[in-house]
Amino acid sequence: MKEIRVGIIGFGTVGQGLAKAMLAQRERLQQRTGIDFVLATVADIAVTSLPDEFGQVTLTNNAEDIFNDPTIDIVAELIGGMEPARSFLLKAMEKGKHVVTANKALLSVHGKEIFAAAAKNNVEVGFEASVGGGIPVIKALKEGLVANRINYIKGIMNGTANYILTQMTDHGTPFAEVLKEAQELGFAEADPTYDIEGIDTAHKLAILMTIAYGLNVHLDDVSVEGISSIEPIDIEFARRFGYRIKLLAISRNHGESVEARVHPTMVPEGHMLATINGAFNGIQLRGDTVGDVLLYGQGAGMMPTGSAVAADVVDIGRNIANGSVNRVPALSYLPENIGEPTITPMEQLQCPYYFRITALDKPGVLSVITGIFGKHNISIRSMMQQGHDSNEPVHIVFRTHLAQEGSVEKAIGEINALDICTAPTVKIRLLISE
């Protein structure tokens, strides 16, 4: 039986998930592939011993031991971050080793360099676990939907943010309290910035767009807004209007340009994405041949992510065994056919909006605000006011018809500058049904 030997760099949550999956599924993988996948070496500077079940695995604190071992076929980089992860991947490929990574941040910034190095060294890069945890969305785009022009990508791609918004919706708990609870339960990191400010989601969207469109989409191409400004009152107004607030990644393919944005979005309660709650992820794709596809599952965690990394290891192992390395291009498109993106400017976006304006309850306030909206061609669909004590500011909520982002930003700037406004205006985009 063909033996494929694997080295893991980083024995944290994902590294342990991969190791456990390889051990638990070893016999099944032999039956499915005719290959014996062997975990040969683990490199980690902080681990002094491995669990008893990995007694045959070599432990080292030096990744060079993996790079310099000619018997290791595949290297799994599972430490995260930019460096030394980037250098480790490049060095492994220079040594002729295939690589697997779950590192979405690295790929969304340095992906072009990494995939070029893979092509140069005729090795494969597996990165299924970089988006959606255990959800096989990378494979779906690369292979299952290969006969499609992808028209849009929409998705909930961060379990921490989705958990927080779900708790706020179901229990009316303020953002700060839910975040603290999420940290205590292990759903949120001690520093949750990447999750709650949309950066993690933007990493993932950049990767999916690159595969979907055959374009080198970089993290900097994605417009990003987080959820830290969302308050229970916004959740309640959304409920009254028949919406749920979700942190969405959205990209539309206009042909000559593509949208790339991450922001809180009011999603109609009847929409598929509105029903995805807790720490789960859901990614909706539309192809011109297949129509709509929804992929749903656990977007993080030891075993779901370990499952995705193991799938890459098996795919690469099969290709090695059958002499078909790079049968499927890493980014689905042949390298020479991957171009540079033209990103649709945010100011050109058109969608309905929700505004919550906090202002003094004085005569003439509404006429001033609506006058500003009218000046910028923003048509109001409905208006509600909460609070009637003239000594306290009130919340005035507007929903608009389709409006242009550039005009909206100008109007909000003027409204926030008014003496009658006591807090920045909250703006949430509404999802357009397609």
Side-chain angles (χ1 to χ4, degrees):
M1 182 178 291
K2 174 72 173 177
E3 183 178 276
I4 297 290
R5 292 171 63 81
V6 179
I8 297 177
I9 303 176
F11 205 64
T13 299
V14 180
Q16 291 180 50
L18 171 60
K20 290 176 182 291
M22 288 182 63
L23 181 64
Q25 304 298 331
R26 186 171 181 178
E27 184 176 345
R28 179 171 287 105
L29 292 177
Q30 291 173 354
Q31 294 170 350
R32 286 182 163 180
T33 67
I35 300 169
D36 186 19
F37 289 92
V38 177
L39 177 55
T41 304
V42 168
D44 193 302
I45 60 173
V47 175
T48 56
S49 64
L50 298 175
D52 292 342
E53 61 264 37
F54 302 115
Q56 302 303 309
V57 179
T58 299
L59 174 64
T60 178
N61 61 7
N62 189 350
E64 294 289 340
D65 293 340
I66 290 178
F67 305 142
N68 294 328
D69 184 343
T71 72
I72 291 178
D73 304 288
I74 302 171
V75 176
E77 176 278 303
L78 301 172
I79 60 174
M82 295 294 174
E83 287 291 354
R86 170 184 163 276
S87 296
F88 285 166
L89 285 175
L90 294 175
K91 186 169 292 187
M93 290 188 286
E94 287 172 5
K95 294 282 189 176
K97 301 185 187 302
H98 306 277
V99 297
V100 176
T101 180
N103 197 332
K104 64 264 185 181
L106 180 64
L107 292 179
S108 69
V109 175
H110 296 291
K112 187 175 182 179
E113 176 188 23
I114 289 165
F115 291 115
K120 176 183 176 182
N121 292 286
N122 194 33
V123 296
E124 297 204 13
V125 181
F127 54 104
E128 182 65 65
S130 65
V131 181
I135 304 172
V137 63
I138 302 291
K139 194 172 186 69
L141 277 174
K142 285 172 61 174
E143 299 182 49
L145 301 177
V146 69
N148 284 262
R149 176 189 188 271
I150 301 301
N151 290 326
Y152 72 58
I153 302 165
K154 298 176 185 174
I156 296 165
M157 301 184 195
N158 185 274
T160 300
N162 202 43
Y163 173 84
I164 290 171
L165 290 172
T166 300
Q167 292 297 105
M168 291 177 70
T169 300
D170 291 347
H171 305 291
T173 313
F175 174 86
E177 290 184 28
V178 181
L179 174 58
K180 182 179 179 183
E181 175 189 321
Q183 289 171 321
E184 292 171 351
L185 292 172
F187 290 137
E189 302 288 342
D191 180 359
T193 303
Y194 273 30
D195 294 325
I196 65 174
E197 297 303 340
I199 301 167
D200 175 79
T201 299
H203 289 148
K204 297 169 183 176
L205 181 61
I207 292 169
L208 292 185
M209 289 177 64
T210 298
I211 301 168
Y213 307 142
L215 300 170
N216 280 313
V217 180
H218 188 279
L219 173 64
D220 292 342
D221 294 322
V222 184
S223 174
V224 186
E225 296 174 20
I227 63 170
S228 56
S229 65
I230 303 298
E231 296 184 13
I233 189 171
D234 302 308
I235 301 278
E236 179 55 33
F237 275 118
R239 191 199 311 273
R240 292 187 198 179
F241 297 141
Y243 293 86
R244 291 177 74 96
I245 299 177
K246 298 291 184 181
L247 180 67
L248 290 193
I250 300 175
S251 175
R252 287 188 179 86
N253 182 1
H254 297 292
E256 72 284 354
S257 68
V258 292
E259 295 178 21
R261 49 193 173 99
V262 172
H263 50 71
T265 309
M266 286 193 178
V267 181
E269 289 179 345
H271 193 282
M272 293 183 291
L273 293 175
T275 66
I276 295 171
N277 295 315
F280 281 81
N281 284 195
I283 302 171
Q284 183 181 5
L285 308 168
R286 175 174 288 179
D288 62 347
T289 304
V290 72
D292 285 324
V293 174
L294 178 67
L295 301 168
Y296 165 82
Q298 296 188 57
M302 177 185 291
M303 297 317 297
T305 309
S307 169
V309 179
D312 280 336
V313 168
V314 172
D315 270 353
I316 293 172
R318 281 172 163 159
N319 291 343
I320 294 171
N322 289 284
S324 57
V325 168
N326 285 320
R327 179 184 66 85
V328 179
L331 297 172
S332 189
Y333 287 79
L334 293 171
E336 62 268 25
N337 294 326
I338 294 177
E340 296 303 317
T342 298
I343 304 298
T344 308
M346 277 297 290
E347 57 266 25
Q348 294 181 11
L349 172 67
Q350 292 196 38
C351 67
Y353 290 82
Y354 159 97
F355 303 121
R356 176 170 56 82
I357 298 169
T358 306
L360 299 177
D361 191 7
K362 291 183 176 182
V365 167
L366 275 178
S367 63
V368 172
I369 293 172
T370 55
I372 292 173
F373 285 142
K375 172 185 171 183
H376 292 284
N377 297 313
I378 298 169
S379 175
I380 302 302
R381 177 181 175 185
S382 65
M383 187 277 292
M384 295 178 67
Q385 181 173 316
Q386 181 166 307
H388 299 285
D389 185 344
S390 60
N391 294 320
E392 295 292 333
V394 296
H395 295 296
I396 310 169
V397 169
F398 296 90
R399 278 191 300 164
T400 76
H401 294 287
L402 283 179
Q404 190 169 58
E405 180 88 8
S407 298
V408 164
E409 286 299 308
K410 291 175 183 176
I412 288 178
E414 289 188 29
I415 290 169
N416 286 343
L418 295 173
D419 291 339
I420 55 175
C421 291
T422 61
T425 297
V426 173
K427 172 193 71 181
I428 303 176
R429 301 170 186 87
L430 276 62
L431 185 65
I432 301 174
S433 297
E434 297 178 84

